[in-house]
CSV table of all heavy atoms in Angstrom, one decimal:
chain,number,residue,atom,x,y,z
A,7,ASN,N,188.2,138.2,101.7
A,7,ASN,CA,189.4,138.9,102.2
A,7,ASN,C,190.6,138.0,102.0
A,7,ASN,O,190.6,137.0,101.3
A,7,ASN,CB,189.2,139.2,103.7
A,7,ASN,CG,189.0,138.0,104.5
A,7,ASN,OD1,189.5,136.9,104.2
A,7,ASN,ND2,188.2,138.1,105.6
A,8,ARG,N,191.7,138.5,102.5
A,8,ARG,CA,193.0,137.8,102.2
A,8,ARG,C,193.0,136.4,102.8
A,8,ARG,O,193.4,135.4,102.1
A,8,ARG,CB,194.2,138.6,102.9
A,8,ARG,CG,195.5,138.0,102.7
A,8,ARG,CD,196.6,138.7,103.4
A,8,ARG,NE,197.9,138.0,103.4
A,8,ARG,CZ,198.7,138.0,102.3
A,8,ARG,NH1,198.4,138.7,101.2
A,8,ARG,NH2,199.8,137.3,102.4
A,9,GLU,N,192.5,136.2,104.0
A,9,GLU,CA,192.5,134.9,104.6
A,9,GLU,C,191.7,133.9,103.8
A,9,GLU,O,192.0,132.7,103.6
A,9,GLU,CB,192.0,135.0,106.1
A,9,GLU,CG,193.0,135.6,107.0
A,9,GLU,CD,193.2,137.1,106.8
A,9,GLU,OE1,192.2,137.8,106.3
A,9,GLU,OE2,194.2,137.7,107.1
A,10,GLN,N,190.5,134.4,103.4
A,10,GLN,CA,189.7,133.5,102.6
A,10,GLN,C,190.3,133.2,101.2
A,10,GLN,O,190.2,132.1,100.7
A,10,GLN,CB,188.3,134.3,102.3
A,10,GLN,CG,187.5,134.4,103.6
A,10,GLN,CD,186.3,135.3,103.4
A,10,GLN,OE1,186.4,136.4,102.8
A,10,GLN,NE2,185.2,134.9,104.0
A,11,HIS,N,191.0,134.2,100.6
A,11,HIS,CA,191.7,133.9,99.4
A,11,HIS,C,192.8,132.8,99.6
A,11,HIS,O,193.0,131.9,98.8
A,11,HIS,CB,192.3,135.1,98.8
A,11,HIS,CG,191.5,135.9,97.9
A,11,HIS,ND1,190.5,136.8,98.3
A,11,HIS,CD2,191.4,135.9,96.5
A,11,HIS,CE1,189.9,137.3,97.3
A,11,HIS,NE2,190.4,136.8,96.2
A,12,LEU,N,193.5,132.9,100.7
A,12,LEU,CA,194.5,131.9,101.0
A,12,LEU,C,193.9,130.5,101.1
A,12,LEU,O,194.5,129.5,100.7
A,12,LEU,CB,195.3,132.3,102.3
A,12,LEU,CG,196.2,133.5,102.1
A,12,LEU,CD1,196.8,133.9,103.5
A,12,LEU,CD2,197.4,133.2,101.1
A,13,GLU,N,192.7,130.4,101.7
A,13,GLU,CA,192.1,129.1,101.8
A,13,GLU,C,191.7,128.6,100.5
A,13,GLU,O,191.8,127.4,100.2
A,13,GLU,CB,190.8,129.3,102.7
A,13,GLU,CG,191.0,129.3,104.2
A,13,GLU,CD,189.7,129.1,104.9
A,13,GLU,OE1,189.0,128.1,104.6
A,13,GLU,OE2,189.4,129.9,105.9
A,14,LEU,N,191.2,129.5,99.6
A,14,LEU,CA,190.8,129.1,98.3
A,14,LEU,C,192.0,128.6,97.4
A,14,LEU,O,192.0,127.7,96.7
A,14,LEU,CB,190.1,130.2,97.6
A,14,LEU,CG,188.7,130.6,98.1
A,14,LEU,CD1,188.2,131.8,97.5
A,14,LEU,CD2,187.7,129.4,97.9
A,15,ILE,N,193.1,129.4,97.6
A,15,ILE,CA,194.4,129.0,96.9
A,15,ILE,C,194.8,127.6,97.3
A,15,ILE,O,195.2,126.7,96.5
A,15,ILE,CB,195.5,130.0,97.1
A,15,ILE,CG1,195.1,131.3,96.4
A,15,ILE,CG2,196.8,129.5,96.7
A,15,ILE,CD1,196.0,132.5,96.8
A,16,ALA,N,194.8,127.3,98.6
A,16,ALA,CA,195.2,126.0,99.1
A,16,ALA,C,194.3,125.0,98.6
A,16,ALA,O,194.7,123.8,98.3
A,16,ALA,CB,195.3,126.1,100.6
A,17,HIS,N,193.0,125.2,98.6
A,17,HIS,CA,192.0,124.3,98.2
A,17,HIS,C,192.2,123.9,96.7
A,17,HIS,O,192.1,122.7,96.3
A,17,HIS,CB,190.6,124.8,98.4
A,17,HIS,CG,189.5,123.7,98.3
A,17,HIS,ND1,189.4,122.6,99.0
A,17,HIS,CD2,188.5,123.7,97.4
A,17,HIS,CE1,188.4,121.9,98.6
A,17,HIS,NE2,187.8,122.5,97.6
A,18,ALA,N,192.4,125.0,95.9
A,18,ALA,CA,192.6,124.7,94.5
A,18,ALA,C,193.8,123.8,94.2
A,18,ALA,O,193.8,122.9,93.4
A,18,ALA,CB,192.7,126.1,93.7
A,19,LYS,N,194.9,124.1,94.9
A,19,LYS,CA,196.1,123.3,94.8
A,19,LYS,C,195.8,121.8,95.2
A,19,LYS,O,196.3,120.9,94.6
A,19,LYS,CB,197.2,123.9,95.6
A,19,LYS,CG,197.8,125.1,95.0
A,19,LYS,CD,199.0,125.7,95.8
A,19,LYS,CE,199.5,126.9,95.2
A,19,LYS,NZ,200.6,127.5,96.0
A,20,GLU,N,195.1,121.7,96.3
A,20,GLU,CA,194.8,120.4,96.8
A,20,GLU,C,194.0,119.5,95.8
A,20,GLU,O,194.2,118.3,95.6
A,20,GLU,CB,194.0,120.5,98.1
A,20,GLU,CG,193.6,119.1,98.8
A,20,GLU,CD,192.8,119.3,100.0
A,20,GLU,OE1,192.7,120.4,100.5
A,20,GLU,OE2,192.4,118.3,100.5
A,21,ILE,N,193.0,120.1,95.1
A,21,ILE,CA,192.2,119.3,94.2
A,21,ILE,C,192.7,119.3,92.8
A,21,ILE,O,192.2,118.6,91.9
A,21,ILE,CB,190.7,119.8,94.2
A,21,ILE,CG1,190.6,121.3,93.7
A,21,ILE,CG2,190.1,119.7,95.6
A,21,ILE,CD1,189.2,121.8,93.5
A,22,GLY,N,193.8,120.2,92.5
A,22,GLY,CA,194.4,120.1,91.2
A,22,GLY,C,193.7,121.0,90.1
A,22,GLY,O,193.6,120.5,89.0
A,23,ILE,N,193.3,122.2,90.5
A,23,ILE,CA,192.7,123.1,89.5
A,23,ILE,C,193.4,124.4,89.6
A,23,ILE,O,193.7,124.9,90.7
A,23,ILE,CB,191.2,123.2,89.6
A,23,ILE,CG1,190.6,123.8,88.3
A,23,ILE,CG2,190.7,123.9,90.8
A,23,ILE,CD1,189.1,123.6,88.2
A,24,THR,N,193.6,125.1,88.5
A,24,THR,CA,194.2,126.4,88.5
A,24,THR,C,193.2,127.5,89.0
A,24,THR,O,192.0,127.5,88.5
A,24,THR,CB,194.8,126.8,87.2
A,24,THR,OG1,195.8,125.9,86.8
A,24,THR,CG2,195.3,128.2,87.1
A,25,PHE,N,193.6,128.4,89.8
A,25,PHE,CA,192.7,129.4,90.3
A,25,PHE,C,193.4,130.8,90.1
A,25,PHE,O,194.5,131.0,90.5
A,25,PHE,CB,192.4,129.2,91.8
A,25,PHE,CG,192.0,130.4,92.6
A,25,PHE,CD1,191.0,131.3,92.0
A,25,PHE,CD2,192.4,130.7,93.9
A,25,PHE,CE1,190.5,132.4,92.7
A,25,PHE,CE2,192.0,131.8,94.6
A,25,PHE,CZ,191.0,132.6,94.0
A,26,PHE,N,192.7,131.7,89.4
A,26,PHE,CA,193.1,133.0,89.3
A,26,PHE,C,191.9,134.0,89.3
A,26,PHE,O,190.8,133.5,89.4
A,26,PHE,CB,194.0,133.2,88.1
A,26,PHE,CG,193.4,133.0,86.7
A,26,PHE,CD1,192.9,134.0,86.0
A,26,PHE,CD2,193.4,131.7,86.2
A,26,PHE,CE1,192.4,133.7,84.7
A,26,PHE,CE2,192.9,131.4,85.0
A,26,PHE,CZ,192.4,132.4,84.2
A,27,SER,N,192.2,135.3,89.1
A,27,SER,CA,191.1,136.2,89.3
A,27,SER,C,191.2,137.3,88.2
A,27,SER,O,192.2,137.6,87.6
A,27,SER,CB,191.1,136.9,90.7
A,27,SER,OG,190.3,136.2,91.6
A,28,THR,N,190.1,138.1,88.1
A,28,THR,CA,190.0,139.3,87.4
A,28,THR,C,190.4,140.4,88.3
A,28,THR,O,189.7,140.6,89.4
A,28,THR,CB,188.6,139.5,86.8
A,28,THR,OG1,188.3,138.5,85.8
A,28,THR,CG2,188.6,140.9,86.0
A,29,ALA,N,191.3,141.3,87.9
A,29,ALA,CA,191.7,142.4,88.7
A,29,ALA,C,190.9,143.6,88.1
A,29,ALA,O,191.2,144.0,87.0
A,29,ALA,CB,193.2,142.7,88.7
A,30,PHE,N,190.0,144.3,88.9
A,30,PHE,CA,189.2,145.4,88.4
A,30,PHE,C,189.9,146.7,88.6
A,30,PHE,O,189.3,147.7,88.2
A,30,PHE,CB,187.8,145.3,89.0
A,30,PHE,CG,186.9,144.4,88.3
A,30,PHE,CD1,186.9,143.0,88.5
A,30,PHE,CD2,186.0,144.8,87.4
A,30,PHE,CE1,186.1,142.1,87.9
A,30,PHE,CE2,185.1,144.0,86.7
A,30,PHE,CZ,185.2,142.6,86.9
A,31,ASP,N,191.0,146.8,89.4
A,31,ASP,CA,191.6,148.0,89.7
A,31,ASP,C,193.0,147.7,90.2
A,31,ASP,O,193.4,146.6,90.4
A,31,ASP,CB,190.8,148.8,90.7
A,31,ASP,CG,190.4,147.9,91.9
A,31,ASP,OD1,191.3,147.6,92.7
A,31,ASP,OD2,189.3,147.4,92.0
A,32,ILE,N,193.8,148.8,90.3
A,32,ILE,CA,195.2,148.6,90.7
A,32,ILE,C,195.4,148.0,92.1
A,32,ILE,O,196.2,147.1,92.3
A,32,ILE,CB,196.0,149.9,90.4
A,32,ILE,CG1,196.2,150.1,88.9
A,32,ILE,CG2,197.4,149.8,91.1
A,32,ILE,CD1,196.9,151.4,88.6
A,33,PRO,N,194.7,148.6,93.1
A,33,PRO,CA,194.8,147.9,94.4
A,33,PRO,C,194.4,146.5,94.4
A,33,PRO,O,195.1,145.7,95.1
A,33,PRO,CB,193.8,148.8,95.3
A,33,PRO,CG,193.7,150.1,94.6
A,33,PRO,CD,193.8,149.8,93.1
A,34,SER,N,193.4,146.1,93.7
A,34,SER,CA,193.0,144.6,93.6
A,34,SER,C,194.1,143.8,92.9
A,34,SER,O,194.4,142.7,93.3
A,34,SER,CB,191.7,144.5,92.9
A,34,SER,OG,190.7,145.1,93.6
A,35,ALA,N,194.7,144.4,91.9
A,35,ALA,CA,195.8,143.7,91.2
A,35,ALA,C,197.0,143.5,92.1
A,35,ALA,O,197.6,142.4,92.2
A,35,ALA,CB,196.3,144.5,90.0
A,36,ASP,N,197.3,144.5,92.9
A,36,ASP,CA,198.4,144.3,93.9
A,36,ASP,C,198.0,143.3,95.0
A,36,ASP,O,198.9,142.5,95.4
A,36,ASP,CB,198.7,145.7,94.6
A,36,ASP,CG,199.4,146.6,93.6
A,36,ASP,OD1,199.9,146.2,92.6
A,36,ASP,OD2,199.3,147.9,93.9
A,37,PHE,N,196.8,143.3,95.4
A,37,PHE,CA,196.3,142.3,96.4
A,37,PHE,C,196.5,140.9,95.8
A,37,PHE,O,197.0,140.0,96.5
A,37,PHE,CB,194.8,142.6,96.6
A,37,PHE,CG,194.1,141.6,97.5
A,37,PHE,CD1,194.1,141.7,98.9
A,37,PHE,CD2,193.5,140.5,96.9
A,37,PHE,CE1,193.4,140.8,99.6
A,37,PHE,CE2,192.8,139.5,97.7
A,37,PHE,CZ,192.8,139.7,99.1
A,38,LEU,N,196.1,140.7,94.6
A,38,LEU,CA,196.2,139.4,94.0
A,38,LEU,C,197.7,139.0,93.7
A,38,LEU,O,198.0,137.8,93.9
A,38,LEU,CB,195.4,139.3,92.6
A,38,LEU,CG,193.9,139.5,92.8
A,38,LEU,CD1,193.3,139.7,91.4
A,38,LEU,CD2,193.3,138.3,93.5
A,39,GLU,N,198.5,139.9,93.3
A,39,GLU,CA,199.9,139.6,93.0
A,39,GLU,C,200.6,139.2,94.3
A,39,GLU,O,201.5,138.3,94.3
A,39,GLU,CB,200.6,140.8,92.4
A,39,GLU,CG,202.1,140.6,92.1
A,39,GLU,CD,202.4,139.4,91.1
A,39,GLU,OE1,201.4,138.9,90.5
A,39,GLU,OE2,203.5,139.1,91.0
A,40,ASP,N,200.2,139.8,95.4
A,40,ASP,CA,200.8,139.5,96.7
A,40,ASP,C,200.5,138.1,97.1
A,40,ASP,O,201.2,137.4,97.9
A,40,ASP,CB,200.3,140.5,97.8
A,40,ASP,CG,201.0,140.3,99.1
A,40,ASP,OD1,202.3,140.3,99.1
A,40,ASP,OD2,200.3,140.0,100.1
A,41,LEU,N,199.4,137.6,96.6
A,41,LEU,CA,199.0,136.2,96.8
A,41,LEU,C,199.6,135.2,95.9
A,41,LEU,O,199.4,134.0,96.0
A,41,LEU,CB,197.4,136.1,96.8
A,41,LEU,CG,196.6,136.8,97.8
A,41,LEU,CD1,195.1,136.8,97.5
A,41,LEU,CD2,196.9,136.3,99.2
A,42,GLY,N,200.3,135.7,94.9
A,42,GLY,CA,201.0,134.8,93.9
A,42,GLY,C,200.1,134.2,92.8
A,42,GLY,O,200.3,133.1,92.4
A,43,MET,N,199.1,135.0,92.4
A,43,MET,CA,198.2,134.5,91.3
A,43,MET,C,199.1,134.1,90.1
A,43,MET,O,200.0,134.7,89.7
A,43,MET,CB,197.2,135.5,90.9
A,43,MET,CG,196.1,135.7,91.9
A,43,MET,SD,194.9,134.4,91.8
A,43,MET,CE,194.3,134.5,93.5
A,44,PRO,N,198.7,132.9,89.4
A,44,PRO,CA,199.5,132.4,88.3
A,44,PRO,C,199.1,133.2,87.0
A,44,PRO,O,199.9,133.0,86.0
A,44,PRO,CB,199.1,131.0,88.2
A,44,PRO,CG,197.7,130.9,88.7
A,44,PRO,CD,197.6,132.0,89.8
A,45,ALA,N,198.0,133.9,86.9
A,45,ALA,CA,197.6,134.6,85.7
A,45,ALA,C,196.6,135.7,86.1
A,45,ALA,O,196.1,135.7,87.2
A,45,ALA,CB,197.0,133.6,84.7
A,46,TYR,N,196.3,136.5,85.1
A,46,TYR,CA,195.3,137.6,85.4
A,46,TYR,C,194.4,137.8,84.3
A,46,TYR,O,194.7,137.7,83.1
A,46,TYR,CB,196.1,139.0,85.6
A,46,TYR,CG,196.9,139.0,86.9
A,46,TYR,CD1,198.2,138.5,86.9
A,46,TYR,CD2,196.3,139.4,88.1
A,46,TYR,CE1,198.9,138.5,88.1
A,46,TYR,CE2,197.0,139.4,89.3
A,46,TYR,CZ,198.3,138.9,89.3
A,46,TYR,OH,199.0,138.9,90.5
A,47,LYS,N,193.1,138.0,84.6
A,47,LYS,CA,192.1,138.4,83.6
A,47,LYS,C,191.8,139.8,83.8
A,47,LYS,O,191.8,140.4,84.8
A,47,LYS,CB,190.8,137.6,83.9
A,47,LYS,CG,189.6,138.0,83.1
A,47,LYS,CD,189.7,137.5,81.6
A,47,LYS,CE,188.6,138.1,80.8
A,47,LYS,NZ,187.3,137.7,81.2
A,48,ILE,N,191.6,140.5,82.6
A,48,ILE,CA,191.2,141.9,82.5
A,48,ILE,C,189.8,141.9,81.9
A,48,ILE,O,189.6,141.4,80.8
A,48,ILE,CB,192.1,142.7,81.7
A,48,ILE,CG1,193.6,142.7,82.3
A,48,ILE,CG2,191.6,144.2,81.7
A,48,ILE,CD1,193.7,143.3,83.7
A,49,ALA,N,188.8,142.4,82.6
A,49,ALA,CA,187.5,142.4,82.1
A,49,ALA,C,187.3,143.4,80.9
A,49,ALA,O,188.1,144.3,80.8
A,49,ALA,CB,186.5,142.8,83.2
A,50,SER,N,186.3,143.2,80.2
A,50,SER,CA,186.0,144.0,79.0
A,50,SER,C,186.0,145.5,79.3
A,50,SER,O,186.6,146.3,78.5
A,50,SER,CB,184.7,143.6,78.3
A,50,SER,OG,184.7,142.3,77.8
A,51,GLY,N,185.4,145.8,80.4
A,51,GLY,CA,185.3,147.2,80.8
A,51,GLY,C,186.7,147.9,81.0
A,51,GLY,O,186.8,149.1,81.0
C-alpha cells in the first residue's frame, strides 16, 4: 500500500539505490507518480 511504498522509498534513498516500479494500469501509474517515482517500466504485455 501507500504507506509501505513510502517506507521502501525512504529505505532506498537511505542505502543509495534507485527504486522504481512497473505500472500495469493507469490507476497504478497515477499511484506511483503521486509517490514521485524517478522512472517507469512498462511490461511486455
Side-chain angles (χ1 to χ4, degrees):
N7 61 29
R8 178 181 174 82
E9 289 69 29
Q10 290 170 319
H11 271 83
L12 289 171
E13 279 194 51
L14 291 172
I15 290 169
H17 190 63
K19 288 182 178 178
E20 181 182 351
I21 65 175
I23 194 167
T24 297
F25 161 42
F26 61 97
S27 268
T28 298
F30 277 81
D31 49 76
I32 288 176
S34 294
D36 290 340
F37 173 91
L38 295 170
E39 179 61 11
D40 187 56
L41 294 171
M43 286 285 154
Y46 290 89
K47 172 73 188 299
I48 302 296
S50 292

